[in-house]
Amino acid sequence: MTHLTRIPAPDGVAPAAQYAHVVTGAGRLVAVSGQLALDEDGTLVGEGDAGAQARQVFENLRRCLAAAGATFDDVVKLTYFVTDTAHLPAVRAARAAHLPDDRLPASSAVQVAALVRPEFLLEVEALAVVAA
């Protein structure tokens, strides 16, 4: 049984198609820094390819969550930073490989002028709550 409660459409708020408006839980907070499309050797994966970068970012998130004893089922919030909102379908596809539609977290997507290096197209950070 899950320790999280997802509220996709609170009273008076339009329903969200790609995220839950509110996710609550009790337990230990896990904060994962923004992940970039770097492999374990620090090499960029998918230069110029938002899909390849998104897949690597979600793999990095998975590994970071696991290091804290968490999984994507524990994620309450994802924040996406993209250099172009046209990359969001690729991000959603990578997310779908890890999070089913009935367990979507709260989310924010922000288009930014640039990330730490120009070859990065996106960065994703996560908050999770692990059952106590």
Side-chain angles (χ1 to χ4, degrees), residues 8 12 20 30 42 49 51-52 59 75 90 93 118-119 123:
V30 175
D49 182 343
E59 177 57 20
V75 172
E119 61 269 28
E123 180 174 341

Side-chain angles (χ1 to χ4, degrees), residues 36-57:
L36 298 163
L38 296 173
D39 67 14
E40 62 190 42
D41 297 320
T43 302
L44 173 68
V45 173
E47 185 164 359
D49 182 343
Q53 287 197 20
R55 288 186 296 277
Q56 182 64 47
V57 163

Side-chain angles (χ1 to χ4, degrees), residues 44-121:
L44 173 68
V45 173
E47 185 164 359
D49 182 343
Q53 287 197 20
R55 288 186 296 277
Q56 182 64 47
V57 163
F58 274 86
E59 177 57 20
N60 291 348
L61 286 169
R62 185 194 66 74
R63 290 176 179 178
C64 289
L65 289 165
T71 70
F72 279 103
D73 284 343
D74 302 308
V75 172
V76 296
K77 176 86 186 322
L78 290 171
T79 304
Y80 309 101
F81 302 96
V82 294
T83 58
D84 187 333
T85 56
H87 302 319
L88 288 174
V91 171
R92 288 185 192 115
R95 180 195 65 197
H98 297 277
L99 282 157
D101 287 345
D102 65 340
R103 290 198 301 269
L104 294 177
S107 297
S108 298
V110 181
Q111 182 170 325
V112 296
L115 292 166
V116 68
R117 293 191 342 222
E119 61 269 28
F120 294 123
L121 303 176

Side-chain angles (χ1 to χ4, degrees), residues 12-27:
V13 178
Q18 296 293 326
Y19 58 93
H21 279 289
V22 180
V23 181
T24 65

